[in-house]
């Protein structure tokens, strides 16, 4: 290190939905040397930090502390003294029962710089996701946020129950489900009507969100009869009645996939697009990359050779966005750009591939109506002659239908591997556990390689395990691979695209 002290950013990670992370929090994570984090509702937040950052878990669950608060505070001091840029990542907001003040004070006492990056607090956001505003004109003009962890029967409570019970229109108790019988008793003892509406919200802002409504008098019995477990917030007030009209997040009319748990098997770099579309519709997505995209085994030798004589080709056929990106990477590496394709016509299989080409200033001459090899053959009929030379940069393990059929017509086709897919870094044992314990409703397959590699990752009995849930294939080629592996196909996209796959899931599951 350079001898200078580092800096600590005390950051609120929000209530659970990772998309509620603030832009400033993202910016801080991107420059972190070390991330010290609590038990997060969604660990995808960690993806914004550099891959080579140091990650230190200090999470605390009820009665189970990985590290005491004093040691966490000292850890931040030690890391900053080492000259590191430290992100201290805390659920919700660091100053709302997050003990961020204690950490900041010790940093200040040691003369170490720090910044506070507020987070979206569950006290307001979780009710909002349940369709419950904490204030509403004519219903509630004030609200209070109270810890639910304190035992209300202890001799010297920090909560002024006599004043709290009726002081505000809405009272939000964070982390209060375990103490709820005592909390409701104290509220009624101090003047809150037993008929006051209440809501208990579990896993708020996440796709597994659950909401129960009752009254102050009936809430304790509800928790017992429904076996409601943390993490929950407990909200008291007449604003609860508004949920009947304002519920939006867990409303199947607005979120047709709400509560459906989907395993996304695309490569990690591409999984987010599908996951985002599904989560927008209410699904809970687990990204389990079954494949990884990497350079071909020949180190781009064949592709570079083809690029070197690009002027000799009359047609270029791209069968995936990955093929497009790798081709243009090598074209640029050779000191050339899209102008080198001036004499060639371009065919793109599918809208996503055509869009990837547009990013390089190329509009495809042919985009088949059917997004697979057979569709390309039909679309090129009469357009490609025996005098033409065709370049096909594609995945190393792709089907040979297209080059073989073109070859039978006497067309000169040069096939070069632009990339290859290998088994991804998905945790096979964790996926097996989730499938065995009923934590997954449907698995999506976006290519034949995702099917083969997931089966490889899961090992013996993979097909039986996969068949215990529904499966969705992006098109007939992927579906055929599923069947070859002994996997049943429940949903097959009518349009062989990510949007088509999403539409198929909505049609089948909602």
């Amino acid at each position: 290190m350079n001898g200078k002290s580092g800096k600590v950013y005390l950051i609120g990670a929000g209530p659970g939905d990772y998309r509620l992370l603030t832009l400033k929090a993202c910016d801080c994570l991107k420059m972190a040397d070390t991330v010290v984090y609590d038990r997060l509702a969604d660990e995808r937040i960690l993806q914004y930090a550099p891959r080579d950052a140091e990650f230190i878990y200090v999470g605390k669950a009820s009665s189970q502390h990985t590290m005491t608060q004093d040691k966490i505070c000292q850890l931040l001091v030690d890391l900053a003294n080492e000259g590191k840029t430290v992100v201290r990542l805390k659920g919700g907001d660091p100053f709302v029962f997050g003990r961020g003040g204690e950490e900041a004070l010790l940093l200040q006492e040691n003369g170490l710089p720090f910044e506070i990056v507020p987070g979206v607090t569950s006290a307001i956001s979780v009710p909002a996701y349940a369709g419950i505003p904490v204030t509403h004109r004519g219903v509630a003009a004030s609200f209070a946020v109270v810890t639910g962890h304190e035992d209300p029967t202890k001799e010297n409570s920090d909560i002024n129950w006599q004043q709290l019970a009726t002081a505000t229109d809405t009272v939000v108790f964070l982390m209060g489900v375990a103490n709820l019988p005592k909390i409701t008793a104290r509220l009624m003892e101090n003047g809150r009507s037993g008929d006051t509406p209440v809501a208990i919200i579990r896993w708020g802002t996440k796709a597994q969100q659950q909401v129960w409504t009752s009254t102050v008098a009936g809430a304790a019995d509800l928790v017992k009869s429904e076996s409601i477990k943390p993490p929950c917030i407990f909200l008291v007030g007449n604003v609860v009645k508004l949920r009947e009209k304002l519920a939006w997040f867990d409303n199947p009319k607005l979120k047709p996939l709400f509560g459906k748990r989907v395993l996304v098997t695309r490569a990690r770099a591409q999984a987010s697009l599908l996951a985002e579309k599904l989560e927008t519709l209410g699904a809970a997505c687990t990204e389990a990359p079954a494949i990884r995209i990497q350079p071909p085994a020949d180190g781009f030798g064949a592709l570079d050779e083809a690029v070197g004589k690009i002027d000799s080709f009359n047609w270029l056929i791209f069968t995936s966005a990955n093929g497009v990106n790798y081709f243009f990477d090598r074209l640029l590496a050779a000191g050339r750009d899209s102008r080198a394709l001036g004499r060639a016509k371009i065919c793109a299989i599918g809208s996503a591939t055509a869009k990837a080409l547009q990013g390089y200033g190329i509009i495809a001459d042919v985009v088949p109506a059917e997004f697979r090899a057979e569709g390309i053959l039909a679309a090129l009929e009469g357009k490609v002659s025996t005098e033409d030379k065709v370049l096909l940069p594609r995945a190393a393990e792709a089907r040979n239908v297209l080059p073989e059929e073109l070859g039978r017509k006497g067309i000169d086709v040069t096939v070069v591997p632009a990339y290859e897919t290998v088994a991804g870094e998905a945790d096979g044992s964790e996926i097996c556990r989730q499938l065995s314990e009923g934590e997954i409703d449907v698995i999506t397959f976006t290519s034949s390689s995702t099917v083969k590699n997931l089966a490889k990752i899961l090992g013996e009995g993979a097909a039986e395990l996969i068949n215990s849930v529904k499966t969705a294939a992006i098109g007939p080629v992927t579906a055929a691979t599923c069947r070859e592996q002994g996997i049943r196909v429940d949903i097959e996209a009518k349009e062989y695209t990510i949007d088509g796959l999403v539409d198929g899931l909505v049609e089948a599951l909602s």
Side-chain angles (χ1 to χ4, degrees):
M1 291 296 172
N2 57 16
K4 295 181 180 179
S5 65
K7 186 171 183 176
V8 178
Y9 294 89
L10 298 169
I11 293 177
D17 184 342
Y18 73 99
R19 292 165 298 183
L20 293 177
L21 193 69
T22 67
L23 288 173
K24 183 167 184 179
C26 284
D27 289 342
C28 293
L29 277 164
K30 288 174 184 176
M31 59 185 182
D33 296 314
T34 303
V35 180
V36 179
Y37 66 102
D38 285 346
R39 185 174 62 149
L40 302 174
D42 195 323
E43 291 199 359
R44 277 178 289 185
I45 289 170
L46 299 177
Q47 71 185 349
Y48 298 110
R51 287 202 168 199
D52 60 353
E54 177 185 22
F55 295 90
I56 302 176
Y57 175 64
V58 295
K60 293 177 284 185
S62 181
S63 303
Q64 295 180 330
H65 292 192
T66 302
M67 188 181 292
T68 64
Q69 186 60 50
D70 286 347
K71 289 183 177 179
I72 293 172
C73 291
Q74 188 59 48
L75 173 66
L76 299 179
V77 170
D78 294 342
L79 291 168
N81 276 326
E82 292 173 14
K84 293 179 177 178
T85 297
V86 183
V87 164
R88 171 67 173 111
L89 198 59
K90 308 167 80 68
D93 180 275
F95 280 5
V96 181
F97 307 123
R99 305 190 74 171
E102 297 171 47
E103 295 169 359
L105 282 171
L106 190 62
L107 291 166
Q108 188 273 334
E109 289 169 10
N110 283 270
L112 294 166
F114 63 89
E115 284 190 26
I116 310 299
V117 182
V120 177
T121 174
S122 60
I124 298 171
S125 58
V126 168
Y129 268 56
I132 303 171
V134 293
T135 65
H136 187 79
R137 185 177 177 86
V139 179
S142 59
F143 70 96
V145 181
V146 187
T147 177
H149 262 327
E150 185 189 61
D151 183 351
T153 63
K154 72 180 186 181
E155 186 174 346
N156 296 308
S157 174
D158 293 327
I159 299 173
N160 187 337
W161 289 98
Q162 186 175 3
Q163 297 295 326
L164 173 69
T166 57
T168 60
D169 299 306
T170 305
V171 187
V172 181
F173 292 90
L174 302 186
M175 306 164 290
V177 69
N179 280 331
L180 196 140
K182 297 171 183 175
I183 291 172
T184 53
R186 277 297 185 96
L187 287 172
M188 289 187 289
E189 287 170 7
N190 288 279
R192 198 80 180 205
S193 169
D195 293 331
T196 305
V198 302
I200 302 167
I201 309 165
R202 186 170 191 263
W203 284 118
T205 78
K206 293 181 68 67
Q208 58 263 51
Q209 175 177 294
Q210 293 174 283
V211 182
W212 296 266
T213 58
S214 182
T215 62
V216 170
D221 289 338
L222 177 66
V223 168
K224 185 176 181 180
S225 65
E226 296 291 326
S227 300
I228 301 173
K229 306 295 183 186
C232 293
I233 76 162
F234 177 54
L235 185 144
V236 179
N238 287 324
V239 288
V240 172
K241 296 176 182 178
L242 291 165
R243 171 172 162 77
E244 185 177 341
K245 293 182 178 180
L246 297 183
W248 61 275
F249 181 61
D250 49 2
N251 184 334
K253 292 181 180 179
L254 302 175
K255 301 278 186 178
L257 294 181
F258 179 78
K260 301 299 182 184
R261 299 161 297 182
V262 183
L263 189 72
V264 177
T265 60
R266 290 189 99 192
R268 186 175 296 281
Q270 300 169 315
S272 294
L273 175 62
L274 176 56
E276 285 171 8
K277 289 179 179 292
L278 293 173
E279 287 174 340
T280 297
L281 296 170
C285 292
T286 298
E287 293 183 10
I291 61 171
R292 178 165 51 86
I293 309 297
Q294 65 180 30
D298 71 348
F300 297 115
L303 180 56
D304 286 346
E305 183 180 344
V307 166
K309 53 184 181 182
I310 196 67
D311 296 333
S312 67
F313 294 101
N314 308 97
W315 278 89
L316 272 71
I317 301 176
F318 293 100
T319 58
S320 71
N322 287 318
V324 171
N325 293 329
Y326 275 105
F327 172 83
F328 278 95
D329 281 349
R330 302 316 298 170
L331 187 67
L332 291 170
R336 307 188 73 178
D337 58 25
S338 58
R339 290 173 295 180
L341 309 184
R343 69 185 295 271
K345 291 189 178 297
I346 310 294
C347 176
I349 182 169
S351 53
T353 307
K355 185 175 182 180
L357 282 165
Q358 289 175 17
Y360 296 97
I362 302 293
I363 296 176
D365 298 285
V366 176
V367 181
E370 185 181 8
F371 299 164
R372 57 175 176 160
E374 291 80 356
I376 289 182
L377 290 167
L380 292 179
E381 188 69 37
K383 294 184 175 68
V384 181
S385 72
T386 54
E387 298 178 359
D388 290 325
K389 292 187 66 177
V390 177
L391 177 62
L392 177 56
R394 63 175 199 171
E397 63 282 354
R399 294 191 307 152
N400 288 320
V401 173
L402 181 57
E404 287 177 355
E405 288 301 316
L406 289 173
R408 286 193 185 98
K409 295 176 184 291
I411 297 168
D412 183 358
V413 182
T414 299
V415 180
V416 295
Y419 63 96
E420 64 182 24
T421 59
V422 297
E425 63 269 33
D427 185 338
S429 60
E430 175 61 15
I431 297 172
C432 286
R433 184 197 67 76
Q434 291 178 342
L435 289 169
S436 299
E437 297 182 9
E439 294 181 7
I440 300 294
D441 296 311
V442 60
I443 302 174
T444 60
F445 293 112
T446 55
S447 66
S448 292
S449 54
T450 60
V451 179
K452 294 174 183 176
N453 284 311
L454 181 64
K456 187 185 299 183
I457 289 167
L458 296 182
E460 187 177 351
E464 182 180 356
L465 198 56
I466 293 170
N467 285 335
S468 67
V469 301
K470 291 186 181 298
T471 61
I474 199 168
V477 175
T478 303
T481 304
C482 285
R483 297 184 183 102
E484 290 168 7
Q485 297 284 326
I487 296 169
R488 183 191 68 253
V489 178
D490 299 293
I491 302 162
E492 185 177 319
K494 295 174 183 176
E495 178 185 314
Y496 317 149
T497 64
I498 292 300
D499 286 337
L501 182 59
V502 171
D503 289 343
L505 287 164
V506 171
E507 183 179 340
L509 300 179
S510 61

